[in-house]
């Protein structure tokens, strides 16, 4: 954890006794959260960074959006187990984000995290399509527990849990990857890369999309990190198999596709 925590972050994170939660206190939290992928839509960048790092240390894959429009786009384009949405956001407020997600048919459970904690505020948030509402300040272990409950409450259809391209199969929950029944062992980054490519099977995935969704970069690091990982991944999923699945689209990006 970062050694310095701003007053704004301290004002949001508390322990179960209502005392401000320091970074070292997170080590004492009993974490029992299964593998999950969540989206945090929060415009307080320092609070979001602190929260994101805590989730990742708990074994949760986290994406972050700093405004309502970006959060809405990511929520529609990616598969998440849970979304955490602040109410007061730039470009589009949190309740509008949730309402639009529901209108578009996105049923991902949403936990609203907000300084607006009166009864009327909570009722409004739930009626807008939220599944849970946690006022700030909050205890981080309670936030973890609520996310775990939301993740269990609404199971996803198998096609969201298991991705298939040809004879290649990826299980998002168990992290099991097999091709033609043969187990393929991947490093965490390789798994996340394959997961994103398979989610978008049949579509061109650009380098920018990979940087933002797999590496959490919102700038070009000017390295060959993508090429290296794609090469390693291709070797693992195509070596000893007859048919290639991962294609390079020259000048555009990559595509997972089974051409039969």
């Amino acid at each position: 954890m970062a050694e310095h925590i701003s007053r704004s972050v301290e004002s949001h994170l508390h322990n179960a006794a209502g005392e401000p939660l320091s970074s070292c206190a997170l080590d004492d939290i009993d974490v029992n959260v299964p593998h999950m992928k969540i989206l945090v839509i929060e415009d307080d960048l320092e609070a979001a960074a602190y929260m994101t790092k805590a989730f990742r240390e708990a074994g949760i894959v986290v994406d972050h959006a700093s405004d309502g429009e970006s959060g809405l786009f990511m929520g529609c384009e990616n598969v998440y187990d849970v979304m955490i949405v602040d109410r007061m956001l730039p470009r589009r407020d949190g309740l509008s984000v949730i309402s639009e997600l529901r209108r578009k048919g996105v049923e991902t459970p949403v936990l609203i995290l907000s300084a607006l904690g009166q009864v009327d505020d909570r009722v409004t948030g739930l009626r807008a399509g939220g599944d849970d509402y946690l006022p700030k300040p909050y205890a981080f272990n309670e936030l973890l527990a609520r996310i775990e409950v939301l993740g269990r409450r609404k199971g996803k259809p198998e096609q969201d849990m298991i991705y298939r391209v040809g004879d290649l199969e990826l299980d998002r929950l168990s992290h099991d990857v097999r091709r033609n029944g043969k187990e393929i062992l991947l490093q965490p980054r390789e798994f996340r890369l394959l997961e994103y490519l398979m989610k978008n099977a049949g579509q061109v995935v650009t380098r920018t999309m990979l940087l933002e969704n797999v590496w959490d970069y919102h700038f070009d690091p000017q390295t060959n990190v993508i090429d290296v990982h794609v090469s390693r991944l291709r070797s693992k999923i195509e070596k000893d198999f007859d048919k290639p699945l991962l294609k390079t689209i020259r000048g555009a990006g990559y595509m997972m596709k089974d051409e039969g």
Side-chain angles (χ1 to χ4, degrees), residues 168-219:
L168 179 66
E169 180 177 293
L170 178 148
D171 189 316
R172 294 183 61 238
L173 288 181
S174 68
H175 274 205
D176 186 48
V177 177
R178 294 179 180 274
R179 183 163 185 190
N180 196 25
K182 180 180 178 181
E183 183 179 13
I184 298 174
L185 299 178
L186 300 179
Q187 296 297 318
R189 186 74 69 181
E190 294 168 345
F191 180 89
R192 192 171 178 186
L193 173 60
L194 180 61
E195 179 184 25
Y196 189 76
L197 288 166
M198 292 183 72
K199 174 187 178 297
N200 295 281
Q203 305 175 41
V204 175
V205 175
T206 67
R207 295 175 63 88
T208 299
M209 292 166 67
L210 291 176
L211 286 172
E212 291 184 351
N213 292 281
V214 179
W215 276 268
D216 297 319
Y217 290 159
H218 294 279
F219 62 94

Side-chain angles (χ1 to χ4, degrees), residues 33-251:
V33 181
H35 170 73
M36 300 177 72
K37 183 175 182 179
I38 67 175
L39 173 63
V40 174
I41 308 178
E42 168 65 69
D43 64 321
D44 184 329
L45 298 184
E46 192 166 3
Y50 184 85
M51 189 192 314
T52 297
K53 187 169 185 181
F55 280 131
R56 287 174 177 162
E57 289 181 354
I60 298 173
V61 177
V62 187
D63 287 341
H64 170 239
S66 59
D67 63 76
E69 286 291 346
S70 298
L72 176 60
F73 175 79
M74 293 173 69
C76 291
E77 293 297 315
N78 299 289
V79 177
Y80 297 102
D81 298 292
V82 176
M83 299 185 202
I84 298 175
V85 181
D86 188 15
R87 279 192 60 165
M88 295 179 288
L89 295 167
R91 299 184 67 196
R92 180 190 281 264
D93 70 90
L95 297 189
S96 172
V97 170
I98 298 168
S99 297
E100 185 65 11
L101 285 169
R102 298 304 185 229
R103 190 186 72 80
K104 290 178 177 291
V106 177
E107 297 298 330
T108 304
V110 172
L111 183 147
I112 300 171
L113 196 61
S114 176
L116 302 175
Q118 299 300 314
V119 173
D120 288 346
D121 297 320
R122 298 198 296 270
V123 170
T124 300
L126 295 173
R127 284 179 173 170
D131 297 274
D132 198 358
Y133 198 111
L134 184 60
K136 300 176 182 179
Y138 58 90
F140 190 77
N141 52 352
E142 180 182 3
L143 178 59
L144 280 172
R146 286 174 180 250
I147 288 173
E148 181 181 2
V149 170
L150 287 177
R152 292 198 308 261
R153 182 184 298 172
K154 294 185 177 179
K156 293 184 176 182
E158 182 180 351
Q159 61 265 31
D160 284 345
M161 290 289 96
I162 299 178
Y163 295 152
R164 294 184 179 89
V165 177
D167 57 356
L168 179 66
E169 180 177 293
L170 178 148
D171 189 316
R172 294 183 61 238
L173 288 181
S174 68
H175 274 205
D176 186 48
V177 177
R178 294 179 180 274
R179 183 163 185 190
N180 196 25
K182 180 180 178 181
E183 183 179 13
I184 298 174
L185 299 178
L186 300 179
Q187 296 297 318
R189 186 74 69 181
E190 294 168 345
F191 180 89
R192 192 171 178 186
L193 173 60
L194 180 61
E195 179 184 25
Y196 189 76
L197 288 166
M198 292 183 72
K199 174 187 178 297
N200 295 281
Q203 305 175 41
V204 175
V205 175
T206 67
R207 295 175 63 88
T208 299
M209 292 166 67
L210 291 176
L211 286 172
E212 291 184 351
N213 292 281
V214 179
W215 276 268
D216 297 319
Y217 290 159
H218 294 279
F219 62 94
D220 189 343
Q222 300 297 321
T223 70
N224 65 343
V225 62
I226 292 179
D227 302 306
V228 170
H229 279 79
V230 167
S231 177
R232 290 175 180 170
L233 178 62
R234 179 179 278 127
S235 175
K236 290 185 177 183
I237 66 173
E238 296 186 350
K239 184 180 179 181
D240 300 327
F241 296 99
D242 296 333
K243 186 167 52 176
L245 296 175
L246 177 52
K247 309 180 187 305
T248 299
I249 310 301
R250 188 173 299 276

